[in-house]
Amino acid sequence: METRKIYSRNSHSDDEDDVSDHFQADDDDEILIQTGNEDTTATPSQNSQNIDLEEQSPVFTVRRRRNIQSNADAFESLDYEVCENILERNERTTFSYNLRNFERFKLKKDFARWCVFIQIGVLTALLACTINICIEELSDLKYSFVTDSVATSILGGDLLVPYLYWVGMSIAPVIIGSALVAFVEPVATGSGIAEVKCYLNGVKMPRLVRIKTLFVKSVGVVTSVVGGLAGGKEGPMIHSGAVIASGISQGKSTTFSRDLKYFRYFRDDHEKRDFVLGGAAAGVSAAFGAPIGGLLFSLEEAASFWNQKLIWRTLIASTISAFTLNLVLSAYNGQYNFTYYGLFNLGKFEQITFEYFELPIFMLMGITGGLVGALWISINTKINNFRRRFIKLKIGKVMEAALVAALGVTVAAIMIYTINDCRATPVDPIKHSVKMFCEDNEYNAVAELWFQTPEKTVRSLLHDKPDSHRILTLAVFTSVYFLLSCITFGLSVSLGIFIPTVLVGAAWGRLVAMFLYSFFPEANFLNPGKYALIGAAAHMGGVLRMTISLTVILIEATGVDTTFTFPLILTIIIAKWIGDYFNHGIYDTQIKKNHVPLLHWDPPKNHQRKCASEIMNSPVICFKMRENAGYIYEKLKESKHNGFPIVQDVVGDKRGHGRICGMILRSQLIVMFMNKYFEENRKYWENEVTIHKFRDMYPRYPSIETVKFNPDKANWTINFDLFMNPSITTCNELDSVSKIFGIFRALGIRHMVVVDKKNRVKGIITRKDFLNKSI
């Protein structure tokens, strides 16, 4: 008796059904196929020609020459393709017999969709307000206490006590936030923008849009910013908006086991993707007070699939978010006019112009931003590689975050103590001014850079008077904050990269103006705030590699005249081009290091001359239209595939060479087994089964191991006529990979069945085949 085992790299599974689509191997893998006493070596695309899975019992063993992208198996694809089976059609045709009822149902669904987008904007803004108020109040308490301690201790000449206070009040909140991330929800690490981008591209990111993730993210952002780490709250707002959108659009909570029965027709990946996109845009809008920038950010950086109707809905969510945040924060601060445009309030430039002979200077700053941004990404990548290799324990990650917080305070204290930069006290008093060793009516300009949140420091660099800082002060501060931001991004904390990027860029941009002014003191065009803004744009372009959306965000956040758009976008584009020559942007670098199977806009270069038969996986596990229930159950248990072609005209047991007629998903099969949708008892369930039976279990379908199957019903039959998707996407085995890639990218499909001229199954292609075989 022959036995069959499949040793596959695709064996990861978690409570969100994160299992692999199909077995895959890289071009540099050897697959040893053993049948009897014969050994044969074949590539995956040759298996369909040489091996018949149904007649023989091979043993697949993968001998790895190199461990390439093995972590990609931890990720699954989302089902963005609508399953147009008979149950889904019945939902639509129920109202089609009466045109008036059908139009009423359609109007009700569209109205509900608009209501959800409005709720997304309101709730995202309210969360942003809560986070901002907590950060402002706690930071004010912290820096007020440290400032008073310095003022008291300076008289006695003992500055060790305020330093210890400062270190303790920085480490404590960082430990709390880092412990939540490390022990409760690791997916809340960082800003979450890269993960949201992957989700919208069609990759299922485990636990990305859960309520627990939102809680850890929110608390983690507050504690990290209050702790003084080199980061900001703006980036995580994009992730938070996505979680809010995902939650309220489903009308239920699997975390709290509550189903309100609302929005049941939105419970699929296709609908959920659009709401998550609106949530991400609302997060950008709340963070920067830039509704148009939020829309463009979603289009440029996040969205992989787009349609015209979605533009208006996303714009509404962004606008409502910005308006709600402005209204709440203005009322909270006792303002009667709308003055709080976003969390990242850069302050409005009254009048900012440029001369045409300044354009070469801006271009040089763009080149500098690209070089410095590429250097920042390179250093940060090496540091994160070190973390992955040596800091694996959760407690070690928490202690590392605390150590970095203490390091930042220590460096700041050394700067304040050693650099003598006393300035005359301005007319508008500084809230947390420190005299240190300065005379009366003076304050320490170095302490002003550190004794406030990073957002306020950016605003100071953009709007302070030309003589507010010494060149030495800004030079040292720029270098120190550059290195601190490199170390911080990648810690086990919830923190964004926007603020440190803007802060470093604004600092060295202001330095450029100060250097030029020292050589040309008569130059009236040398406005330090203008050059700080250009420096911020250049550095953000070099690190983030965004163009259009970044330009619009800066314009909306600063209120500069539209004539200043040209130097901004010129600087950002040059910075992006220069940076792209050396490495990818920070988010793409993160995605690549985590081996996420992301489909970029263009196919891999080495796929230009390949066809479908060279990358497809075969043989394929197929099911007949009327299949034995025991056979299906065993195939589900012994494989981790998520899609199974339905075939007809099967000769004998050669299902793998049948004529394709549809596709069934693992999640559908599990629901069918749980509800016992067998052909033998069809008369009991046929009139009751609806598409909602499958939607109610979305998105966390149980695993096949938890489904009880009576062995006595192993010979019963499952008929796929009601459940399979008959309108699947197929390709010919001779179609080019570039063409297939374009279809995957445009439609967001999960599986593509490869057929011959007679429409018989030859293989199957998933998104991972474009990556694992492109090395």
Side-chain angles (χ1 to χ4, degrees):
M1 178 179 179
E2 294 182 333
T3 60
R4 185 173 82 91
K5 279 188 178 181
I6 298 180
Y7 297 91
S8 169
R9 293 180 292 121
N10 295 348
S11 58
H12 179 78
S13 178
D14 71 1
D15 57 350
E16 285 198 26
D17 195 27
D18 283 286
V19 292
S20 301
D21 288 323
H22 278 273
F23 176 83
Q24 303 172 40
D26 295 336
D27 285 342
D28 57 354
D29 293 341
E30 289 184 358
I31 300 179
L32 186 64
I33 303 174
Q34 300 175 346
T35 305
N37 296 324
E38 297 180 358
D39 293 347
T40 308
T41 301
T43 62
S45 59
Q46 292 171 331
N47 293 345
S48 59
Q49 300 174 4
N50 301 330
I51 303 297
D52 189 348
L53 183 61
E54 305 299 333
E55 292 183 346
Q56 304 181 34
S57 300
V59 177
F60 292 78
T61 306
V62 179
R63 291 204 300 257
R64 299 287 297 174
R65 295 180 183 173
R66 290 180 297 169
N67 186 16
I68 299 175
Q69 294 184 337
S70 58
N71 291 342
D73 300 325
F75 302 102
E76 270 311 300
S77 298
L78 294 168
D79 295 310
Y80 284 166
E81 186 178 18
V82 178
C83 180
E84 297 181 344
N85 56 15
I86 293 179
L87 297 179
E88 196 273 339
R89 294 178 185 177
N90 287 342
E91 183 185 45
R92 291 181 292 173
T93 56
T94 300
F95 301 93
S96 63
Y97 296 111
N98 188 323
L99 183 60
R100 184 176 180 181
N101 289 341
F102 177 72
E103 293 295 332
R104 186 178 300 172
F105 171 76
K106 184 178 178 182
L107 180 62
K108 177 183 176 181
K109 189 174 180 180
D110 288 340
F111 180 76
R113 189 178 282 110
W114 280 102
C115 289
V116 170
F117 274 96
I118 292 174
Q119 292 178 49
I120 290 170
V122 172
L123 293 179
T124 302
L126 292 178
L127 177 63
C129 292
T130 304
I131 291 175
N132 184 75
I133 292 171
C134 291
I135 290 176
E136 292 294 331
E137 295 297 333
L138 293 175
S139 297
D140 185 59
L141 290 174
K142 170 186 173 181
Y143 291 118
S144 295
F145 183 84
V146 175
T147 301
D148 294 340
S149 179
V150 171
T152 303
S153 301
I154 195 66
L155 298 176
D158 184 11
L159 294 177
L160 179 61
V161 174
Y163 165 73
L164 294 178
Y165 282 146
W166 192 3
V167 170
M169 297 179 73
S170 298
I171 288 180
V174 169
I175 289 178
I176 295 173
S178 181
L180 283 174
V181 171
F183 290 95
V184 179
E185 197 53 82
V187 77
T189 303
S191 65
I193 295 178
E195 289 78 5
V196 172
K197 180 178 179 178
C198 294
Y199 180 91
L200 293 173
N201 187 264
V203 181
K204 180 186 290 184
M205 307 299 291
R207 303 177 303 279
L208 179 69
V209 289
R210 293 189 182 179
I211 293 179
K212 184 169 67 173
T213 303
L214 180 64
F215 172 78
V216 174
K217 196 79 166 184
S218 303
V219 177
V221 167
V222 173
T223 55
S224 299
V225 176
V226 172
L229 292 177
K233 55 185 178 290
E234 285 70 23
M237 280 309 307
I238 299 171
H239 184 188
S240 300
V243 179
I244 291 173
S246 172
I248 65 176
S249 65
Q250 302 303 295
K252 71 171 186 177
S253 172
T254 51
T255 302
F256 298 107
S257 300
R258 294 290 182 182
D259 191 346
L260 302 178
K261 304 298 181 180
Y262 292 127
F263 308 137
R264 299 173 75 184
Y265 32 72
F266 294 147
R267 294 178 185 177
D268 60 61
D269 290 335
H270 181 269
E271 292 283 358
K272 191 175 181 180
R273 175 197 67 195
D274 293 347
F275 292 117
V276 170
L277 182 64
V284 176
S285 181
F288 300 99
I292 306 300
L295 173 67
L296 293 176
F297 175 86
S298 299
L299 175 61
E300 179 184 10
E301 189 66 20
S304 298
F305 316 101
W306 198 261
N307 61 69
Q308 189 175 12
K309 293 181 180 179
L310 192 56
I311 294 177
W312 282 107
R313 297 169 188 151
T314 304
L315 180 60
I316 287 295
S318 299
T319 305
I320 293 294
S321 178
F323 174 77
T324 304
L325 182 133
N326 201 338
L327 181 66
V328 174
L329 289 185
S330 297
Y332 176 80
N333 290 278
Q335 303 292 330
Y336 295 99
N337 54 351
F338 296 126
T339 57
Y340 290 85
Y341 301 99
L343 301 183
F344 187 36
N345 195 341
L346 296 178
K348 298 300 179 180
F349 283 89
E350 296 296 333
Q351 185 177 4
I352 182 171
T353 59
F354 70 98
E355 303 293 341
Y356 289 106
F357 54 78
E358 291 183 273
L359 291 178
I361 302 176
F362 297 156
M363 294 173 67
L364 290 175
M365 293 179 69
I367 294 173
T368 304
L371 294 173
V372 175
L375 176 63
W376 188 95
I377 293 173
S378 178
I379 296 174
N380 178 257
T381 301
K382 287 180 171 56
I383 293 174
N384 288 332
N385 288 340
F386 176 85
R387 287 191 176 107
R388 289 189 181 93
R389 184 176 180 183
F390 295 104
I391 307 177
K392 297 182 178 180
L393 295 178
K394 295 180 179 180
I395 188 65
K397 295 178 180 180
V398 176
M399 297 309 297
E400 182 198 14
L403 180 62
V404 172
L407 176 64
V409 173
T410 303
V411 173
I414 293 174
M415 281 187 61
I416 296 172
Y417 186 81
T418 58
I419 298 178
N420 182 19
D421 190 359
C422 295
R423 299 288 164 176
T425 303
V427 178
D428 297 328
I430 300 174
K431 192 169 186 179
H432 303 298
S433 62
V434 178
K435 287 186 178 298
M436 286 293 286
F437 305 109
C438 300
E439 302 294 336
D440 293 337
N441 298 324
E442 290 184 343
Y443 73 98
N444 190 301
V446 182
E448 189 225 351
L449 294 173
W450 292 101
F451 276 40
Q452 57 187 352
T453 59
E455 290 89 343
K456 293 182 178 179
T457 303
V458 173
R459 194 157 57 247
S460 299
L461 292 173
L462 292 176
H463 298 283
D464 280 351
K465 294 181 179 180
D467 58 347
S468 299
H469 304 90
R470 292 174 55 191
I471 291 180
L472 176 63
T473 301
L474 282 186
V476 175
F477 178 79
T478 302
S479 302
V480 167
Y481 216 86
F482 177 89
L483 294 175
L484 282 178
S485 61
C486 286
I487 299 172
T488 303
F489 193 68
L491 291 175
S492 181
V493 294
S494 297
L495 211 58
I497 194 60
F498 276 101
I499 291 300
T501 304
V502 175
L503 183 53
V504 172
W508 68 255
R510 193 177 181 94
L511 267 176
V512 170
M514 296 171 69
F515 273 117
L516 291 176
Y517 187 78
S518 63
F519 290 103
F520 307 100
E522 302 297 329
N524 296 325
F525 62 87
L526 291 175
N527 181 353
K530 175 176 62 177
Y531 280 81
L533 179 59
I534 292 293
H539 196 62
M540 291 182 75
V543 174
L544 305 180
R545 309 291 165 80
M546 294 157 46
T547 53
I548 301 174
S549 58
L550 181 57
T551 304
V552 175
I553 287 173
L554 290 176
I555 291 174
E556 290 186 283
T558 58
V560 297
D561 193 85
T562 53
T563 57
F564 203 70
T565 303
F566 179 70
L568 275 178
I569 198 168
L570 177 66
T571 304
I572 291 173
I573 289 177
I574 292 177
K576 174 181 168 32
W577 285 348
I578 296 298
D580 285 342
Y581 182 79
F582 295 96
N583 48 34
H584 297 288
I586 183 61
Y587 300 130
D588 288 333
T589 299
Q590 279 187 299
I591 293 170
K592 184 177 180 181
K593 286 296 179 182
N594 292 327
H595 306 298
V596 181
L598 184 79
L599 296 184
H600 295 278
W601 292 108
D602 299 311
K605 294 181 179 179
N606 60 343
H607 281 0
Q608 298 290 336
R609 300 180 180 179
K610 290 185 178 180
C611 59
S613 60
E614 296 181 72
I615 69 167
M616 69 182 185
N617 294 289
S618 61
V620 182
I621 297 178
C622 301
F623 298 138
K624 296 185 291 186
M625 178 66 77
R626 297 168 61 90
E627 188 59 87
N628 182 276
Y631 178 82
I632 298 174
Y633 186 79
E634 289 301 320
K635 290 300 179 182
L636 288 176
K637 291 190 66 175
E638 69 184 27
S639 71
K640 297 297 181 181
H641 309 334
N642 271 310
F644 302 91
I646 306 301
V647 295
Q648 55 188 2
D649 296 339
V650 177
V651 179
D653 289 333
K654 296 182 179 180
R655 297 176 177 86
H657 296 290
R659 198 184 304 276
I660 185 73
C661 62
M663 175 75 74
I664 195 74
L665 299 177
R666 170 181 285 265
S667 58
Q668 293 175 292
L669 291 171
I670 290 175
V671 175
M672 292 165 64
F673 272 106
M674 294 181 66
N675 290 277
K676 299 179 175 58
Y677 291 150
F678 303 117
E679 186 71 7
E680 285 75 6
N681 61 349
R682 183 164 183 159
K683 61 181 180 180
Y684 298 107
W685 54 261
E686 184 174 16
N687 294 328
E688 297 180 0
V689 61
T690 63
I691 192 66
H692 293 301
K693 289 286 187 179
F694 297 84
R695 289 175 177 169
D696 288 344
M697 289 191 180
Y698 177 84
R700 301 186 199 174
Y701 297 99
S703 64
I704 190 62
E705 286 76 16
T706 62
V707 177
K708 296 181 180 180
F709 180 67
N710 190 347
D712 296 337
K713 298 181 181 180
N715 293 325
W716 283 32
T717 304
I718 289 182
N719 191 342
F720 293 109
D721 59 345
L722 293 177
F723 311 101
M724 72 172 185
N725 181 13
S727 56
I728 62 173
T729 305
T730 62
C731 69
N732 189 273
E733 56 186 333
L734 299 179
D735 287 348
S736 67
V737 174
S738 298
K739 175 183 177 181
I740 298 170
F741 182 89
I743 297 174
F744 259 87
R745 195 65 169 74
L747 300 180
I749 59 178
R750 186 176 189 178
H751 309 92
M752 181 178 287
V753 180
V754 183
V755 298
D756 58 14
K757 295 180 179 179
K758 297 181 179 180
N759 208 33
R760 294 189 178 275
V761 177
K762 301 295 292 184
I764 196 167
I765 297 175
T766 65
R767 69 165 50 227
K768 295 177 184 177
D769 296 316
F770 296 108
L771 287 90
N772 290 353
K773 298 175 183 177
S774 62
I775 303 300

